[in-house]
Amino acid sequence: MAPDYRGRFAPTPSGPLHSGSLLTAVASYLDARQAGGTWLLRIEDLDPPREIPGAADIILRQLEDHGLAWDGPVQYQSQRQAAYAAALDQLHAQGMAFYCTLSRRQLAERGGHHPGPAVATSPGPNRAVRLAVPETTLHFDDLLQGPQQSRLSTEDGAFVIRRRDGFYAYQLACALDDADSGITHVLRGIDLLESTFRQLWVLDCLSRPRPQYGHLPVLVDASGEKLSKSAGAAALGNDHRDNLFRLLSLLGLAPPPPLRHERCDAQLAWATTHWQRNALAGHRALRD
Ligand code: GLU
């Protein structure tokens, strides 16, 4: 394994972690630790209207309670505005970014597809900044899901990198943060697979290296609904050892039953040795 593996977990503080988000944290932690790598924590507090006060601190405590110790200081996107502004300037200077006043409704009337810089407007307040997309097909090899491809121009088209309310968009911030932190491996939920193509394009435009991506299956309930959507079912219990043991089982690790009663750090040490990323290959959902 590469000695310079740098992974990360990047939760949005819109509420406490639930089983599904903790599963992602555990998988990315194990993948990094097994490789002898670094595991960073980034709080994606980019969108104040969606955030719950205190949620970021609760998330940090939940990770600690489950033995998931990160390396170095926690990064907060709210403190990275200057970096996002510089990237936006670069994209404007390259002629890739443009202002746009089309509302979500107007876009829906056009079939949800953005026509690109042809509808650009002059700079000004209360308008979004979008990134033009290429006509070509983007490709990457997913660590878990195999070869992937998408043509952004035939999907939703040019996408928002700064919102009309002035907040930077997740696609810009996430891609830039991963690049600036030297992240080499991004393991996250498969619900973000489509975002990956946008983030690859942001990185390509900014001439920054691409990390490797692996999209993990999401936790679903018996009816196939993503667990985070049915909040009650996804809530974590107070028994941290039991929570962790259950997640290790869901990840296909078959932990020996007595491990359920051991401290979280002991469970994680066992799991780091036995982790097999490939056991999840091709899986898009895990039934809780
Ligand atoms: N902040 C995103 C979320 O909580 C995840 C971003 C990522 O892992 O790239 O869904």
Side-chain angles (χ1 to χ4, degrees):
M1 274 282 184
D4 55 350
Y5 183 121
R6 284 171 77 80
R8 58 34 160 213
F9 178 56
T12 302
S14 52
L17 296 179
H18 49 74
S19 312
S21 41
L22 193 63
L23 181 98
T24 302
V26 170
S28 70
Y29 172 95
L30 293 176
D31 207 61
R33 292 295 183 231
Q34 189 179 63
T38 301
W39 190 65
L40 304 178
L41 178 61
R42 178 170 78 231
I43 298 291
E44 299 209 313
D45 54 348
L46 202 59
D47 186 359
R50 262 189 65 209
E51 281 151 29
I52 310 260
D57 288 340
I58 293 173
I59 291 173
L60 302 192
R61 194 153 13 95
Q62 288 178 301
L63 292 171
E64 284 168 350
D65 285 345
H66 291 90
L68 296 161
W70 58 88
D71 295 308
V74 182
Q75 189 175 81
Y76 291 86
Q77 287 190 325
S78 54
Q79 295 169 11
R80 296 256 308 147
Q81 305 296 310
Y84 307 146
L88 201 73
D89 285 348
Q90 181 182 339
L91 295 169
H92 274 302
Q94 291 170 190
M96 299 298 301
F98 64 94
Y99 289 86
C100 165
T101 55
L102 282 184
S103 67
R104 210 171 282 189
R105 206 173 104 215
Q106 287 168 318
L107 273 178
E109 284 163 9
R110 292 166 176 254
H113 182 89
H114 194 283
V119 298
T121 59
S122 55
N126 201 24
R127 50 199 70 181
V129 178
R130 286 181 182 261
L131 186 64
V133 295
E135 286 303 324
T136 51
T137 304
L138 295 177
H139 298 263
F140 74 96
D141 264 326
D142 193 285
L143 293 167
L144 291 159
Q145 308 295 338
Q148 305 292 320
Q149 61 174 58
S150 179
R151 238 174 112 184
L152 290 174
S153 58
T154 53
E155 299 288 336
D156 292 346
F159 58 91
V160 172
I161 48 176
R162 203 192 68 193
R163 296 167 10 180
R164 59 193 304 161
D165 57 14
F167 293 119
Y168 291 98
Y170 160 68
Q171 309 295 0
L172 177 74
C174 179
L176 191 66
D177 289 343
D178 284 338
D180 284 354
S181 301
I183 297 299
T184 59
H185 292 70
V186 174
L187 259 70
R188 59 183 177 192
I190 199 163
D191 48 326
L192 290 167
L193 185 59
E194 286 308 312
S195 287
T196 297
F197 293 102
R198 299 193 176 90
Q199 292 170 24
L200 286 173
W201 181 236
V202 168
L203 292 171
D204 290 358
C205 289
L206 294 170
S207 305
R208 304 298 301 267
R210 297 172 165 195
Q212 286 189 273
Y213 295 89
H215 289 88
L216 297 157
V218 291
L219 272 191
V220 297
D221 63 18
S223 57
E225 184 82 26
K226 192 182 162 206
L227 265 195
S228 59
K229 301 260 163 58
S230 44
L236 285 162
N238 291 328
D239 184 339
H240 307 130
R241 298 177 186 197
D242 189 65
N243 292 337
L244 186 58
F245 185 87
R246 210 161 43 84
L247 293 176
L248 297 179
S249 307
L250 282 168
L251 286 168
L253 283 165
L259 202 62
R260 180 189 291 271
H261 308 292
E262 293 208 26
R263 289 165 47 115
C264 288
D265 48 5
Q267 293 195 30
L268 287 172
W270 179 90
T272 299
T273 310
H274 292 85
W275 168 247
Q276 277 189 14
R277 187 206 290 154
N278 287 343
L280 298 174
H283 289 273
R284 302 179 72 90
L286 293 175
R287 191 143 295 183
D288 193 14

